Amino acid sequence: MPTRLLAFIACALWLIGAQAATAADAPVAATAASPIATADITARADADEQFVQAAMRRATSPEELQRSRDVLARQSTAVEALSALSTGTDLAALPVRRLESLQRHWQLYAREIADGRARLSRTTHAHAEDAASLAARRTAWQATRAASTALAPALLQRIDELIAQIEQAEQRVAQPLAELLDLGRKASVLAAEVEAGQAAVQTQVEELDRRLLSMDSPALWQGATAGRASETANASLRKSLAIETAFARDHDAANAPVLRVLVAVWLVLLPLLFWLRHRAGQLIAQGHASAASLQALTRPWACWLVLLALGAVVFDFQGPAIRQQAAMLLAWVPVLRLLPERILQAVGPWAYLSAVFYFLNVLASLLLGNEFLYRSMLLAMDLAMAGTLVWLVARARRAAATADAPSSPTPMIYLLGAASAVLAAAAVSNLLGNLSLSAMLTSAVLDTSYLALVMYAGATVLVALFRVLLARPGPARPGARNTSSLIDAGARIGRTLMAVACVVIGLQAFRIYRPLSDFLLAILSYGFTIGVVSLSLGNIAAFVAAAFLAFWLARTIRMLLAEDILPSLALTRGVGNSISTLTYYTILLVGLLSALAVLGFPIGQLAIVFGALGVGIGFGLQDVVKNFVAGLILMFERPIQPGDVVDVAGMSGTVRQIGMRATIVTTFEGADVVVPNGMLLADKLVNWTLRGTRRRIDINVSTGPDVPPRTTIELLLAIARSVDGVATVPEPAALMTGLTAGALDFSLRAWTTDSVSWVVVRSNLAVAVREGLAEAGIEVPRPQSDLHLRGLSAEFAQALAGKEPGAPS
């Protein structure tokens, strides 16, 4: 092998593996260079020969190398074109929208080049490992050949052949490795060029942010004579369209799979919306939904266009700004048709004028050739919008003042008042010469307000879609529940996400998102040390957020399972409650572990915590563990479930909630009693509703000795059969239970039907028995007692007998 080639490979290997080298490599190298034992020569030779052949196949495979060449060539051409577009343009003359598009374009190339360099690095590393392994194996075999003097000729020939194969493989690997290293160098140069382009645009964006607080133009009344020279409107339009067109092309090419999926979804969505309109009509006719909640689906074309616009905005969130603006304008008419009447009444003509002003602002930002004309148009728009908003605020206040019940100002009044103040500040800034601040404030108000209307219309459509897709048409089944909680939870999540999106977009539009995020990151990055634990404010905030999210998610999923999903399934008694409860605690445990991981706590050391917990259990937490295990047994065996009527711990009541440690029982007096789960398993538990809600009623009756017993039995059976709530199977039974002096004793036994109150049925049956015996002329014997008086005087005895004193007894 040529000396220069070997030196080049050695340098390449050193550059790739320098950072990964450790002190343990020396023994490995020494072991690799030591002679191979005679007994292992044959097996080691076969294995090394297989590796050599595999390394040669990988070295002669041109697909990965050719793909790296093509990708790097394409990226070089694209970066060169973008560099020419950026350097050939006066960045200071571009509005912030065009600068943001250029910045996103550079970021797109940065991501693509980073991915390409990562793939190139993996390929280079694989070839470098092959080269290093071949060199180590060659050294070992050369050491074996030099140290072996008494080997058989066949083994010596085998060693010489293998050394020749390894040297040939090293030459094959060296060529693609050298080319890969050269490609890596070119990719690094290209990454540096992209970084420089990003830095130039970022510098200009920061300069525009600084110009927000300075006078960057003469006063407006001086603009006609003292205005600075500017390029023509056509040149400005061509420049803006060139920037946005180039970015759109590259953005679509980089996200081609996602774009194809979105187009397919949009094509399928249109006929689906027409079918959903028909389904919504059926639900309204059957009374499963109100017409107001599904009104949006009565306009499928408007729904489709609004969803199309929102999808385009999401797809182009890091894409061309002008395409986002075009999608927003496309949704204007559909948004007006989908907004509820109360929203249209609240915002008044602003719902119609906002799109007009939005279009004029976009057109003016593209035609930034004549500065005086642009500032005049901007001032006219600010005054018109501010006047409209002030009129809306005054109208809302008059409506609140003339209302029968005085009410506090609504948030809409505050929002409209704040927007009018911002527009007034924009007009003043334009007059005084701060054009950057005026343009930013105007665009921010229009973008935020118009996007809020579009997103509200989109939320209305999505909620209606959920209501139709999750509703169950047809007659309602007994015991079935609706899906209102699932829809409400989804609507709350959707409204929260849209509110967060509006806030973020509003902060970006007002140019305070970047400094605010940098300030928050600086605060959250502040770290401190407690003992051996290093924390930061960001870790603590993430822990709190993760814990809150875990509790909220666990509670929401348990509610959805218990109220919407599980009741509609054919499950065994108590299974639904066990599934929802166990799911709640599982999600809670996983969420808390994730929160600890976010905090920086080493999860692997939880074994130490559990060991300490075991010691604590052994000393003082036996009852807690016993109740916890008893809760698990209750979950799996299901002897009780919420709603059961039980007798436990000397009280009777209804099971309200079964937890992992204790069960809450509501007594018939209205008290909530917390019963530890261990007591439910240790003591006798009477469940009156384990197999059903039927219950036997016993009523004891006594009649006079002269009444025929069979007559009484037939009468009691007839009375029992006539009472509502008494089951026919098993039939009521009347038995003669006693024959005492002066009375005959009977027992009436009857079972209640399902889903009735046995206390009410028992009362009705007792009343019916008493009235039936009275109508039949059967007297219920009263208790009798004989009183024997002794030792009375003669006068008192005569008085008790009703005789005059002194009369003969």
Side-chain angles (χ1 to χ4, degrees), residues 300-343:
W301 280 103
C303 294
W304 185 68
L305 290 176
V306 168
L307 295 178
L308 180 65
L310 289 177
V313 170
V314 173
F315 176 73
D316 286 329
F317 186 73
Q318 292 295 329
I322 193 171
R323 203 157 62 179
Q324 292 181 346
Q325 296 171 337
M328 298 287 288
L329 289 173
L330 177 67
W332 176 39
V333 176
V335 164
L336 294 180
R337 291 182 57 82
L338 293 176
L339 284 176
E341 188 64 28
R342 57 186 180 85
I343 298 297

Side-chain angles (χ1 to χ4, degrees), residues 516-527 536-538:
L516 181 61
S517 61
D518 293 340
F519 175 72
L520 292 178
L521 287 176
I523 293 178
L524 295 177
S525 300
Y526 176 76
S536 66
L537 295 179

Side-chain angles (χ1 to χ4, degrees), residues 751-777:
W751 289 85
T752 63
T753 58
D754 289 329
S755 303
V756 298
S757 175
W758 73 275
V759 177
V760 176
V761 175
R762 187 181 187 281
S763 174
N764 295 337
L765 182 58
V767 171
V769 168
R770 180 67 184 88
E771 293 176 349
L773 292 176
E775 291 177 359

